Amino acid sequence: MGNYILEVCVDSAESAEAAVRGGADRLELCANLVIGGTTPEQALYEIIRERTGAKMNILIRPRYGDFLYTDPEFEIILRDVALFRKLGANGVVTGCLLPDGCLDTERMRRLRDAAGTMDMTLHRAFDMCRDPYKALEECRQLGINTILTSGQKENCLEGRELIAGLVKESRGTVDIMAGGGVDAGTIRQMLPATGATSYHMSGKTVLDSQMEYRRTDVSMGLPGLGEYQILRTSEQKVREAKEMLK
């Protein structure tokens, strides 16, 4: 497979096991994937490590929404980075912006220092930044290993022109990981169009709950997703993507 990387984003032990069986090279572990992901619990990390032994990068994001954090929120991020470093994670996935849409390089430097020898990925806060090429250069100077991006579009196919430009500009110093709508078919089109060698997917599928007794007149979930629908990673979707990279 050469230097190609397939990273699968998971928020449960079941999804992690499916991703590993499908051939994922690395997991991005989060909680609450249905809202874009937040920081996972230590117990989830430990259980997945025990059950799979997989290489894991941990999403560090204290809440849903933008990437402009208050001082207490940033302190939580710092402490979570230190926690997962202590727990032996492969890396962390995080990002902070300033009100004007620029990368918050001061806070990112503090996070890079807190991460120590762990890998660091700038997550899709990058897709919300003002100047992607300036942010790329700042990541290079900060020692950030990877940028996860959809090319500042709704999905990576729509953003492939920017992704191709970032791959060329990075010259291998920062890994440009394409994410957003990734599956085997996407990879087939992205490889020749962008030169990107790293891909990020969730491979989500919706499972029906095994609950027999159901209250259909009460809703506690997000609009469009009920209590009796469970999002899980599809082993088959991961395997198909892996085969495409081969």
Side-chain angles (χ1 to χ4, degrees):
M1 185 172 162
N3 295 320
Y4 291 105
I5 294 173
L6 180 63
E7 178 180 271
V8 181
C9 185
V10 301
D11 64 356
S12 69
E14 293 81 3
S15 287
E17 291 177 324
V20 170
R21 289 193 304 267
D25 298 295
R26 186 173 67 216
L27 303 179
E28 183 197 279
L29 180 61
C30 68
N32 303 308
L33 187 54
V34 70
I35 56 170
T38 56
T39 306
E41 296 180 354
Q42 176 179 338
L44 178 60
Y45 166 78
E46 291 175 338
I47 286 173
I48 292 173
R49 183 180 60 184
E50 292 165 7
R51 294 177 68 93
T52 70
K55 181 183 290 187
M56 281 186 277
N57 287 355
I58 313 301
L59 178 66
I60 309 295
R61 185 185 182 206
R63 59 163 171 78
Y64 169 80
D66 65 29
F67 305 103
L68 178 63
Y69 296 113
T70 64
D71 288 341
E73 287 173 335
F74 182 67
E75 182 62 30
I76 292 169
I77 293 171
L78 271 176
R79 294 189 186 192
D80 278 333
V81 169
L83 170 63
F84 284 102
R85 177 184 179 183
K86 182 179 179 181
L87 292 173
N90 179 74
V92 289
V93 182
T94 192
C96 303
L97 298 179
L98 294 169
D100 64 0
C102 292
L103 192 64
D104 190 336
T105 54
E106 180 180 346
R107 282 183 165 180
M108 292 302 294
R109 183 174 291 106
R110 292 178 64 189
L111 292 172
R112 176 68 269 186
D113 290 344
T117 58
M118 286 195 296
D119 286 348
M120 177 176 279
T121 297
L122 172 59
H123 58 34
R124 292 185 62 193
F126 179 86
D127 286 326
M128 309 301 285
C129 77
R130 177 185 294 272
D131 185 336
Y133 287 100
K134 178 183 178 185
L136 169 61
E137 179 57 32
E138 290 167 338
C139 285
R140 185 168 18 221
Q141 293 174 8
L142 288 165
I144 291 171
N145 306 89
T146 302
I147 293 173
L148 171 61
T149 178
S150 63
Q152 297 197 328
K153 298 292 184 180
E154 193 65 25
N155 60 68
C156 64
L157 271 178
E158 293 180 10
R160 61 187 178 274
E161 183 176 344
L162 175 57
I163 291 173
L166 293 167
V167 169
K168 182 178 180 180
E169 182 66 25
S170 71
R171 300 185 298 278
T173 58
V174 178
D175 189 22
I176 306 301
M177 175 173 283
V182 170
D183 58 17
T186 305
I187 292 171
R188 181 188 297 112
Q189 297 178 70
M190 291 290 290
L191 283 169
T194 67
T197 58
S198 296
Y199 293 86
H200 172 98
M201 68 182 296
S202 66
K204 292 189 298 293
T205 188
V206 180
L207 302 180
D208 188 48
S209 168
Q210 296 184 33
M211 285 292 298
E212 296 176 0
Y213 174 75
R214 303 189 179 195
R215 290 294 304 265
T216 58
D217 57 337
V218 179
S219 177
M220 301 180 194
L222 294 173
L225 186 67
E227 282 66 46
Y228 304 108
Q229 293 174 300
I230 300 171
L231 292 179
R232 289 277 167 77
T233 296
S234 164
E235 177 182 342
Q236 183 61 29
K237 289 182 179 181
V238 175
R239 182 174 291 109
E240 289 170 356
K242 177 82 169 191
E243 289 298 320
M244 184 57 60
L245 286 174
K246 288 181 179 179

